Amino acid sequence: MGLSHSWQGSKPRGPAFESRFWIAFQRPIPVRINPKLPGRDCPSAAKHQPNRMSVAIPRKLYQPLAIAVALAFVYFTMLLKLGGDWWNDENYSHGLLIPFIIGYILWLDRRRFTEAGTQPALWCGAIGVGLYLLLLWAGTAGAELFVQRVSLVIMLASVVIYFWGFRLLRLILVPLSLLILAIPIPQIIFNRIAFPLQLFASRCAVAAMSFFSIPVLRQGNVIELMPLGASEPKRLAVVEACSGIRSLMTLVTLAVGYAYFTEPKDGPDNEDTGGGKERTTRPRSQHNLVSFLKSFTFWRSLILVVAAVPIAILTNALRVSGTGVLAHYYGTRVADGFFHSFSGWVIYIAAAVLLFATGWVLDRVGRVGKKDPDRIYRMNKISIHPVNPVNPV
C-alpha cells in the first residue's frame, strides 16, 4: 500500500501524458532469443547445457596432478630430509630457492608446453621407470640418500617421456638441471673435490705472499707465517669452508639460471640453416636436435656454465691470498669473524660480475656474427643485370 500511495503522489498530472504512458507500459516488448546463449534468454535450457570450462581444466591437469600426488607420497620422507639438508648445510643453502625458481620457469613456459604437442615414447619411458625403481630400491636398501634423490630426477624425466615425449623433456631440461645441482653429493665425493681445491688455494696464497717478500711456509693446506710484531709464527689453515666448493656449486647454479633467463630470442644461429635436401632426408626430430646443437643459444649456455668453474676457483684463491697477505700486516684475526664472512660475500659478488661480463662478451660476439650473414644474404639477393652499351651519336 505504501508503494501505491507514493506512486500516486509522484505521478504527474495531465490526461495526455497519462494516456501515452499507460499505453506504452501495457504494450508487449519483443524478446529475441539467441540460440548461442541459452542460459541468458532461457533459464531452463541453462540447466541442460554442460559446463565445458569446468570439465576441460580438470582434464588437462588430471595427469600432472595425479603424478605429483603419487611422487609426493612416495618421496615424502626423502623430500623432508632434502629440505633439512638445504636448511642446515651451508654448501647447499641455495637449494631453498630452487623450488621457487623451477616453479617460475614452468609458469613462464606454460604456453610452450601446450604448443609442444604430445609424442609419447612408451618403451623409453618404461625403461626409465624401471631404472628409477631399481635405484630407489638400491638407495633404500643401502640407506644412500644420494641414490634415492637421483632416482627422483630420473623418475620425473621418465614420466615426461612416457606421457608426453622427448619434445617436452627438452623444455624441462633446465628445471631438471637445477634440481640436480641442488642435490647434495656423497661426502666421500665431496671430500675428493674439496681437498684439491684447498691445496690449490693454499699454493696461490703462498705464491702471493712470496711476491710481496713475506716469509711463509706451507705444509699441505696449513700456512705458517710471522705477523709483524709477533714473537712466534702463526698458522692459517685453509679448511673445507675456504676450499671454494661452496661458491663453486652456487655459481654454477647461478650460471644455469642466468643462461636461461638471458638467452637470446633471435640468435644468429637459432634459425634453420639446413638446405632443402637436409630437410627431406633427415627426420624432423633429428633435424631439430642438430639445429639446437649448432645454435648460438646452446653454445652460449655451455660456455657460461663451464666458465663458472674457473671463475669460482680463481676468485676463491684470490680471497685466500688476500687473507694471507693481510694476516702478515694486521695479524691472524683478519682470518676470523666479520672480515672472513664479509670477504666471502665480496668475492662471490665479484665472481658473479665476472660471469655476467662473460655473458655480455658472448652477446656482443653473437651480434657481430649475426650482422655478417645478414649482409652476405642481402648481397646475394642483389640481381646484376647486364648494361647495354650506349650507341655513340
Side-chain angles (χ1 to χ4, degrees), residues 87-274:
W87 183 265
N88 298 320
D89 192 354
E90 295 182 354
N91 296 318
Y92 296 95
S93 58
H94 64 276
L96 295 172
L97 301 176
I98 295 300
F100 301 98
I101 298 175
I102 292 177
Y104 182 66
I105 292 175
L106 296 178
W107 173 257
L108 288 180
D109 290 343
R110 63 189 185 278
R111 182 174 298 178
R112 297 175 63 185
F113 293 153
T114 57
E115 296 175 355
T118 58
Q119 295 179 354
L122 301 181
W123 284 105
C124 295
I127 294 174
V129 171
L131 180 61
Y132 141 75
L133 294 175
L134 180 61
L135 289 177
L136 181 60
W137 174 80
T140 305
E144 180 56 52
L145 291 176
F146 178 75
V147 178
Q148 298 179 28
R149 293 163 179 172
V150 171
S151 67
L152 174 61
V153 181
I154 298 177
M155 179 61 181
L156 293 174
S158 303
V159 168
V160 171
I161 294 173
Y162 186 86
F163 286 101
W164 295 282
F166 287 96
R167 185 176 300 178
L168 190 62
L169 178 65
R170 176 184 169 184
L171 298 178
I172 65 170
L173 284 180
V174 174
L176 290 180
S177 301
L178 292 174
L179 182 59
I180 293 175
L181 292 174
I183 296 177
I185 60 178
Q187 192 64 33
I188 185 173
I189 300 178
F190 185 88
N191 295 333
R192 293 292 297 271
I193 298 174
F195 187 69
L197 294 177
Q198 292 174 245
L199 295 179
F200 177 78
S202 61
R203 292 193 187 99
C204 293
V206 170
M209 296 171 70
S210 300
F211 178 79
F212 289 99
S213 301
I214 298 175
V216 62
L217 177 64
R218 182 181 68 87
Q219 295 179 354
N221 62 325
V222 179
I223 300 174
E224 292 187 5
L225 53 90
M226 181 67 71
L228 293 178
S231 58
E232 59 181 7
K234 301 294 182 179
R235 289 188 176 186
L236 289 178
V238 183
V239 296
E240 184 181 284
C242 300
S243 63
I245 192 171
R246 183 180 305 172
S247 59
L248 175 62
M249 300 296 296
T250 309
L251 196 66
V252 171
T253 305
L254 178 63
V256 174
Y258 174 69
Y260 172 78
F261 287 110
T262 61
E263 63 176 357
K265 302 300 181 182
D266 52 350
D269 296 329
N270 290 344
E271 300 177 357
D272 189 11
T273 58

